[in-house]
């Protein structure tokens, strides 16, 4: 565990493994580095593996502003330059992928490859924006607790929610969500108010893997197909019986798909 300065932030990150190549993992909204606990260690035998927290989440500093995706891209570019002198393999889930897409398009020299899990290049649908605005008001007034029943089906697929083997994972993340401070509305607004970057995707030149759960209702199959239609060197893979949080719901599948992708790069 360590802290490093990047774009004026104290960025928290974990590091394990070693190797000539580095994999950098960017987490999803409302989460932190620990969401990669079942995925990242699987690559530590061959790669230097780094997981970091975005501004205002986890243990990275919160300046109280700058939560928009464009600024998170600047944060991440600065972080990568701070921890590596060579291009890295970037992996992002949901919000992490929303950062990864423009990062790859605008800073191609920083990335060796791009893995996208359950994410989107498009703006949030306007009906969702209204829903999230109401939810933000509730959080500001009462905290996160009243929204937990609504949030769980957004984060996890129905198969995971109904699977006794996933009960411990679901319960763990429910408790983490309950512990979120009211200031989480800043990062949430940064994601829900994002703009469409589909017109930038043609600039992505690194090999790309796009993975989506077939039960993902947050960034659905249409979002994945939109990315696949615009990125030149992309593979699209679907994980069955999986919702929006593939790294938590089906980590074994994610690891296999990533290992196969990296082996093809080699």
């Amino acid at each position: 565990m360590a802290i490093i300065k990047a774009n004026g932030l104290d960025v928290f990150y974990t590091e394990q493994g070693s190797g000539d190549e580095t994999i950098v993992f960017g987490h999803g909204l409302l989460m932190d580095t620990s969401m990669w606990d079942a995925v990242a260690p699987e690559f530590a035998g061959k790669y230097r593996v780094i997981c970091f927290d975005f501004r205002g989440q986890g243990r990275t500093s919160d300046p109280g502003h700058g939560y928009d995706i464009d600024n998170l891209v600047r944060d991440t570019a600065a972080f990568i330059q701070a921890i590596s002198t060579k291009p890295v393999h970037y992996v992002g889930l949901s919000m992490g992928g929303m950062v990864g897409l423009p990062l790859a398009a605008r800073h191609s020299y920083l990335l060796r490859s791009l893995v996208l899990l359950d994410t989107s290049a498009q703006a949030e649908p306007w009906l969702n924006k209204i829903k999230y605005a109401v939810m933000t008001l509730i959080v500001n007034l009462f905290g996160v607790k009243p929204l937990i029943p609504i949030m769980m089906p957004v984060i996890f697929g129905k198969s995971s929610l109904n699977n006794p083997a996933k009960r411990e994972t679901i319960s763990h993340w429910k408790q983490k969500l309950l512990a979120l401070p009211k200031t989480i509305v800043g990062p949430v607004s940064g994601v829900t108010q994002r703009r469409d970057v589909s017109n930038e995707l043609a600039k992505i030149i690194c090999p790309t893997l796009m993975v989506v759960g077939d039960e993902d209702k947050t960034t659905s199959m249409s979002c994945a197909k939109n990315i696949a239609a615009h990125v030149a060197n992309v593979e699209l893979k679907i994980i069955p019986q999986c919702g929006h949080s593939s790294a938590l719901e089906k980590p074994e599948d994610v690891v296999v798909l990533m290992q196969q992708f990296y082996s093809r790069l080699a």
Side-chain angles (χ1 to χ4, degrees):
M1 299 180 185
I3 296 287
I4 196 168
K5 282 284 187 182
N7 200 26
L9 297 174
D10 291 326
V11 179
F12 173 85
Y13 69 99
T14 63
E15 181 172 349
Q16 56 190 307
S18 61
D20 293 333
E21 299 181 43
T22 300
I23 304 178
V24 174
F25 289 85
H27 62 82
L29 181 64
L30 309 179
M31 297 186 176
D32 55 36
T33 57
S34 68
M35 69 157 292
W36 300 111
D37 285 355
V39 174
E42 299 299 318
F43 297 91
K46 184 177 179 180
Y47 300 89
R48 179 186 180 211
V49 176
I50 291 177
C51 306
F52 75 102
D53 288 335
F54 288 104
R55 70 164 60 202
Q57 299 186 73
R59 283 179 271 186
T60 288
S61 60
D62 186 354
H65 59 82
Y67 305 113
D68 59 281
I69 297 296
D70 289 337
N71 208 42
L72 298 188
V73 171
R74 288 188 283 270
D75 290 347
T76 305
F79 174 72
I80 290 172
Q81 290 173 306
I83 55 95
S84 179
T85 58
K86 297 189 294 185
V88 305
H89 301 279
Y90 180 85
V91 183
L93 183 144
S94 190
M95 181 186 72
M98 293 170 188
V99 172
L101 286 164
L103 177 71
R106 301 169 195 172
H107 303 280
S108 59
Y109 57 93
L110 293 178
L111 299 192
R112 170 75 177 84
S113 73
L114 177 64
V115 174
L116 305 164
L117 308 174
D118 311 294
T119 194
S120 176
Q122 297 158 285
E124 194 71 39
W126 68 272
L127 281 175
N128 283 359
K129 287 185 178 182
I130 295 173
K131 178 178 68 176
Y132 290 134
V134 173
M135 292 170 70
T136 296
L137 178 61
I138 292 172
V139 172
N140 277 323
L141 291 173
F142 307 108
V144 175
K145 186 176 181 179
L147 297 177
I148 293 296
I150 299 172
M151 293 164 64
M152 299 309 284
V154 171
I155 297 172
F156 297 101
K158 61 181 180 181
S159 294
S160 295
L161 291 171
N162 294 325
N163 184 354
K166 291 295 178 183
R167 194 168 295 152
E168 185 176 345
T169 297
I170 303 292
S171 177
H172 171 77
W173 282 96
K174 181 178 180 179
Q175 294 306 310
K176 286 182 75 74
L177 293 174
L178 284 168
L180 289 172
K182 291 182 179 181
T183 52
I184 194 63
V185 297
V188 170
S189 295
V191 169
T192 59
Q193 299 300 319
R194 69 187 183 276
R195 59 190 179 85
D196 192 317
V197 296
S198 298
N199 63 344
E200 294 189 54
L201 302 188
K203 299 176 183 177
I204 297 177
I205 58 175
C206 64
T208 302
L209 173 65
M210 176 71 235
V211 178
V212 62
D214 66 352
E215 296 177 3
D216 188 344
K217 295 182 179 180
T218 306
T219 52
S220 64
M221 190 72 66
S222 64
C223 297
K225 288 181 177 178
N226 174 65
I227 292 170
H230 288 85
V231 177
N233 189 8
V234 64
E235 302 174 35
L236 174 60
K237 301 293 183 180
I238 300 165
I239 299 180
Q241 296 182 308
C242 183
H244 185 59
S245 301
S246 53
L248 299 174
E249 298 177 64
K250 290 290 187 79
E252 301 88 355
D253 295 52
V254 170
V255 168
V256 169
L257 289 172
M258 288 178 59
Q259 288 174 335
Q260 292 172 345
F261 175 64
Y262 291 145
S263 67
R264 287 190 289 275
L265 294 184

